[in-house]
Amino acid sequence: MNNFAARVTPVGCSSGPTPGAKALLAYLLDRFDYSRNGGIFNCRSVVGGTTFSEHAEGRAVDLMIPTTGQGRPRPELGDPVTQLLMPHGKRLGIQLMIYNLRAWSAKSPNGREYRGKHPHYDHVHLGMTPIAGSMLNYATIESVLGNGTPPPKLADPTHQVTTGLNLRTQPTTAAPSISLLPSGTEVAAVGTPPQTADEHEWLQIRAISGMREVEGWVASRYLVAIGGELTRPVELSREIKPATAGLAYRVEASDVLNMRASPALSGDVLTQLSSGSTVELLADVLAKSDGFHWVRVRVTTDAGVLDGWVARKFIVPIDASDEPVSESSTAGAVAELARATHRVTATSLYLRQEPTTSAAILAELPNGSAVMQVADVQKESDTYTWINVHAVAGPRIVEGWVAADFLAPAA
Ligand SMILES: [Zn+2]
């Protein structure tokens, strides 16, 4: 998921470049051998504006990207830079990224049209928070972004992880977690007999985590065999009803999205949809299996029309705005919260029964939804901070837990 740091407005000029900006520039110059140093410190205002630039505080990097002889952008050179940084903006303290008429920020983590005076065809601008400017160093950047060497490949994967899953040193929930395996991670069973403990069956597996191969134990109910039969029956669910059936959606996947004949990871792949391609949402019925919500979609290809299933989380409505949904567009909801404390900043956010990504989903809250925190309690789990809230789900107010990482305080 793409994310960026909350913006801290520059207020004046410092005396020179920050160490964090120097480290980020050095890393990117090493990583992209065609890029050049476009400078860090410059006591000036934003081009065409009156406010101070992040360069004035020495906490912005201009990474020069080659253009064509006519000064046109060469996105095949610039996009790899922005794509590398997009999922890690928050971690690296990047608050603003601009390239080729697009800008990314905490408010627009997937980018929006950039309307500034300078089109940024010839450089990527990277504005950092003051903390990142003073704290970030080369080793930290390398630990987040890698060093350009592809991660090792797992030999003979046997299963796929269906939710964020802890890999533990021993077959018990009390054992330390070696790593959190993201949903979709491929793992290979070691071959030792499964163990039972803490109401789970545990399987010893190998997996790639970060840049290395790790071995440990996982709860087998969160695995699905690759190419095998489903371990659980497909559960048809009407808990979420997109009001937008028939509308166009855009595929947003890191690589390609598999469109399948049935709503499960074991379903035959009918076609692979490239990121950015358009699908039409067909049905207001969803299937839940393998840790994904599946929706039925239609694609139109040269060969004709093809219907199938895709995982809901990898498609977004076209024309989805970065701005919160206006009150009038949520008029369908009968219930109303007494007082909103937060709003959802993600495209959509699951309201769950318990503060963990493996808990049952009570509702899917669209971008801009209001929630009200009901108890001043925070729980840390699955790399998220969870808070207990009331939220509007159709005609009802439902209590549950949401990851506060995807909330902003209500105005
Ligand atoms: Zn700049």
Side-chain angles (χ1 to χ4, degrees):
M1 184 179 307
N2 297 333
N3 56 60
F4 287 85
R7 182 156 184 265
V8 181
T9 313
V11 292
C13 288
S14 64
S15 57
T18 58
K22 285 200 272 192
L24 184 61
L25 175 62
Y27 174 88
L28 292 171
L29 290 172
D30 284 349
R31 180 82 185 251
F32 298 97
D33 57 7
Y34 50 79
S35 68
R36 286 189 304 106
N37 177 0
I40 295 175
F41 177 67
N42 189 345
C43 181
R44 64 165 171 83
S45 54
V46 175
V47 174
T50 53
T51 52
F52 277 102
S53 159
E54 292 151 340
H55 289 289
E57 291 188 355
R59 52 181 171 100
V61 168
D62 282 342
L63 187 74
M64 305 307 289
I65 305 292
T67 55
T68 67
Q70 292 75 40
R72 300 295 304 160
R74 292 185 63 188
E76 74 277 16
L77 299 180
D79 288 352
V81 178
T82 56
Q83 280 162 9
L84 173 72
L85 296 171
M86 263 178 233
H88 307 289
K90 194 171 173 182
R91 184 91 189 277
L92 296 174
I94 296 173
Q95 62 175 23
L96 178 63
M97 176 165 79
I98 309 171
Y99 175 65
N100 190 13
L101 295 175
R102 273 189 94 66
W104 293 259
S105 63
K107 263 183 85 176
S108 305
N110 296 319
R112 61 171 166 82
E113 188 190 347
Y114 177 68
R115 294 199 185 83
K117 202 169 169 80
H118 193 298
H120 288 70
Y121 289 150
D122 65 350
H123 73 277
V124 180
H125 170 94
L126 297 164
M128 305 163 75
T129 61
I131 291 174
S134 59
M135 302 294 288
L136 200 64
N137 59 46
Y138 198 103
T140 304
I141 298 167
E142 196 170 50
S143 75
V144 173
L145 299 177
N147 58 12
T149 329
K153 196 152 168 46
L154 184 71
D156 306 319
T158 57
H159 295 77
Q160 200 168 11
V161 172
T162 60
T163 183
L165 184 58
N166 277 308
L167 177 71
R168 297 187 185 276
T169 56
Q170 298 293 327
T172 161
T173 52
S177 170
I178 300 167
S179 156
L180 183 77
L181 305 175
S183 178
T185 304
E186 292 191 338
V187 303
V190 170
T192 45
Q195 309 253 333
T196 305
D198 307 326
E199 295 169 10
H200 286 294
E201 182 195 79
W202 297 85
L203 198 62
Q204 192 175 19
I205 56 107
R206 291 178 291 111
I208 304 295
S209 174
M211 295 297 284
R212 63 203 176 88
E213 187 169 305
V214 288
E215 189 174 307
W217 296 81
V218 292
S220 64
R221 60 181 289 214
Y222 302 115
L223 300 177
V224 59
I226 291 173
E229 291 299 305
L230 268 183
T231 50
R232 281 159 290 133
V234 171
E235 171 193 350
L236 279 177
S237 155
R238 296 188 70 86
E239 72 167 324
I240 301 163
K241 296 170 188 155
T244 44
L247 290 189
Y249 277 63
R250 187 179 64 241
V251 173
E252 261 199 19
S254 58
D255 186 7
V256 292
L257 177 62
N258 287 322
M259 179 166 153
R260 296 182 185 272
S262 55
L265 291 175
S266 58
D268 288 341
V269 175
L270 300 173
T271 184
Q272 293 196 314
L273 307 169
S274 52
S275 192
S277 58
T278 304
V279 299
E280 182 191 347
L281 189 64
L282 283 185
D284 69 347
V285 62
L286 292 161
K288 245 173 37 174
S289 79
D290 299 342
F292 291 103
H293 285 89
W294 300 84
V295 287
R296 200 153 166 76
V297 298
R298 170 169 295 171
V299 289
T300 309
T301 67
D302 294 343
V305 166
L306 189 62
D307 292 353
W309 296 86
V310 297
R312 170 70 180 81
K313 64 184 285 197
F314 297 116
I315 59 171
V316 295
I318 288 175
D319 296 325
S321 154
D322 289 317
E323 301 305 318
V325 177
S326 71
E327 294 307 322
S328 60
S329 67
T330 55
V334 176
E336 214 166 272
L337 288 174
R339 191 171 60 83
T341 57
H342 298 81
R343 284 188 188 277
V344 173
T345 58
T347 307
S348 70
L349 182 62
Y350 289 138
L351 178 73
R352 294 187 185 269
Q353 200 149 24
E354 302 290 338
T356 160
T357 54
S358 53
I361 295 165
L362 302 174
E364 186 176 10
L365 309 174
N367 179 268
S369 298
V371 300
M372 185 176 78
Q373 188 168 6
V374 290
D376 193 16
V377 183
Q378 293 193 351
K379 296 259 166 80
E380 304 287 332
S381 132
D382 305 330
T383 75
Y384 295 118
T385 302
W386 300 81
I387 63 169
N388 190 201
V389 298
H390 279 168
V392 175
R396 295 176 303 130
I397 288 179
V398 181
E399 186 181 332
W401 294 82
V402 289
D405 309 64
F406 306 109
L407 298 176

